[in-house]
Amino acid sequence: MGTRLIIDTDPGVDDAFAIALAALSEDVELLGVTTVFGNVPLSATTRNARRLLSLCGRSDVPVAAGAQRPLVYPQPHRAHYAHGVDGLSGRSHVLPEPERELEQAGAVELLVSLLDAADGPVTIAPIGPLTNIAALLAAHPGVREKIDRVVIMGGALGHGNTTAAAEFNIWSDPEAARRVLTGGEVPCVLVPMDLTYRCAVDAEWLAKLNGSGQIGAALHALTPDYREHYNRALGWDGIVMHDAVAVAEAIKPGILHTETFPIDVDCTLGPSRGATVVDRRRAELRDDTDDTDVHSDTGELGRVRVATDTDLDGLRGFVLDRLATVTGR
Ligand code: RIB
Ligand code: CA
């Protein structure tokens, strides 16, 4: 039995790679996909998610739409600069029309029903803003028992990508991120941009993807705007498939090296809003200087596993092999 998985997503070009990675993996039971505002507005992320599942031949997978804005403060800035006008380099319309209707239920309702019905622990992979997941944990605390891990793409140990201090997913809804990451309710794995940047793929890798089959060629066709953005961000011809790195960990536990650290999220309205403050000091120093209680009733409050390293070529090869399929399942 492989991984029971639910993806919460804001496609998004790198989300597209991540969704396909899960949808095409024989050892993954993709229970459902929930959508959230983020790279582009909710209507577009939802349309894109449904079309991507259709591309992968996965009309068996239910899709439900979630939050269209953050929990507390408005955050009107989308990421068209990286993902294009429609979230997929202006190529969403080329993807096959969805064969399955959008669920009438909202994202949180679908998450609850899938978790309740699951015959074992479920991994949730949020690869966009954490608004839906915060709402789930706040309104349905009982689902905790059915959640194995929450494997999150987000955060930055060093500088951000959306501001000097913050990575886009966390910056989009810091209050939601703080609820999920510091609540101590579910085991969290944070896959920060520091590692996802190191997993960047180059023109040669992208050419292999393009020549790997129908799905790979279709994903490659979604990359132009994203690739142009990352050529500027990286300084060389490649892309950063942030979300695919996180989903790789969700479906192959241990592919990323993780370490446990205390964490907090800056929810102020100043220049560091959305920063993930990961305390990497030696434990002895923390013990000396930090007298707050870090234990909640279910786990260690404010501690998460942070992905800090991986076999970079091994990760790149894992993703390419999984995406290199001629047709959807
Ligand atoms: O900062 C990268 C993250 O923000 C990725 O999830 C990307 O899709 C965007 O949502
Ligand atoms: Ca994303």
Side-chain angles (χ1 to χ4, degrees):
M1 178 60 225
T3 304
R4 297 178 194 85
L5 179 66
I6 301 169
I7 296 178
D8 187 69
T9 179
D10 65 332
V13 174
D14 60 323
D15 302 70
F17 281 50
I19 291 167
L21 175 61
L24 300 175
S25 291
E26 299 286 348
D27 56 356
V28 173
E29 187 181 356
L30 184 56
L31 301 177
V33 170
T34 52
T35 58
V36 63
F37 79 96
N39 290 314
V40 289
L42 178 67
S43 56
T45 63
T46 304
R47 175 203 62 214
N48 292 342
R50 296 176 63 212
R51 289 183 176 179
L52 287 161
L53 287 169
S54 188
L55 169 72
C56 296
R58 296 305 306 275
S59 57
D60 60 304
V61 178
V63 177
Q68 60 183 0
R69 53 153 292 173
L71 290 182
V72 179
Y73 295 101
Q75 189 286 79
H77 307 290
R78 306 279 69 82
H80 296 289
Y81 55 82
H83 297 269
V85 63
D86 63 358
L88 296 175
S89 296
R91 308 280 306 205
S92 179
H93 64 284
V94 177
L95 296 175
E97 282 297 319
E99 296 163 15
R100 181 189 183 109
E101 290 301 312
L102 179 67
E103 297 296 307
Q104 289 299 309
V108 172
E109 295 161 273
L110 181 63
L111 282 158
V112 172
S113 61
L114 292 173
L115 289 166
D116 284 348
D119 53 7
V122 177
T123 297
I124 300 176
I127 53 177
L130 287 163
T131 315
N132 291 337
I133 310 306
L136 170 73
L137 295 176
H140 300 276
V143 301
R144 290 185 322 215
E145 285 75 30
K146 295 299 284 290
I147 299 174
D148 183 36
R149 297 191 301 166
V150 181
V151 182
I152 299 160
M153 192 282 137
L157 306 181
H159 63 76
N161 56 4
T162 305
T163 69
E167 176 278 328
F168 181 82
N169 288 339
I170 308 302
W171 176 81
S172 292
D173 195 341
E175 285 76 16
R178 192 165 200 268
R179 180 70 171 75
V180 175
L181 289 169
T182 70
E185 296 149 294
V186 288
C188 289
V189 178
L190 185 69
V191 183
M193 59 174 280
D194 314 76
L195 181 58
T196 59
Y197 257 82
R198 290 175 54 207
C199 299
V201 291
D202 60 12
E204 182 183 357
W205 189 96
L206 288 165
K208 286 178 183 171
L209 176 70
N210 192 30
S212 66
Q214 175 195 354
I215 307 284
L219 291 172
H220 181 269
L222 304 177
T223 62
D225 290 5
Y226 195 69
R227 189 168 180 176
E228 187 181 325
H229 169 72
Y230 273 98
N231 286 9
R232 291 196 299 276
L234 291 166
W236 48 270
D237 182 14
I239 67 169
V240 182
M241 48 182 188
H242 301 278
D243 296 334
V245 178
V247 167
E249 171 58 30
I251 68 178
K252 191 175 172 61
I255 196 171
L256 306 183
H257 172 73
T258 61
E259 301 170 59
T260 299
F261 295 113
I263 190 170
D264 205 338
V265 179
D266 185 329
C267 293
T268 62
L269 298 175
S272 58
R273 178 169 173 78
T276 41
V277 185
V278 175
D279 190 347
R280 288 177 287 165
R281 293 176 296 169
R282 282 178 51 82
E284 292 75 6
L285 182 57
R286 292 200 299 257
D287 292 346
D288 286 355
T289 61
D290 182 356
D291 58 359
T292 53
D293 175 15
V294 292
H295 298 271
S296 70
D297 58 341
T298 59
E300 285 209 289
L301 204 57
R303 288 175 185 273
V304 298
R305 299 196 70 84
V306 178
T308 56
D309 202 359
T310 190
D311 168 2
L312 299 176
D313 284 336
L315 187 284
R316 296 177 183 119
F318 172 78
V319 174
L320 186 58
D321 289 348
R322 292 288 178 106
L323 295 179
T325 174
V326 175
T327 60
R329 284 175 56 181

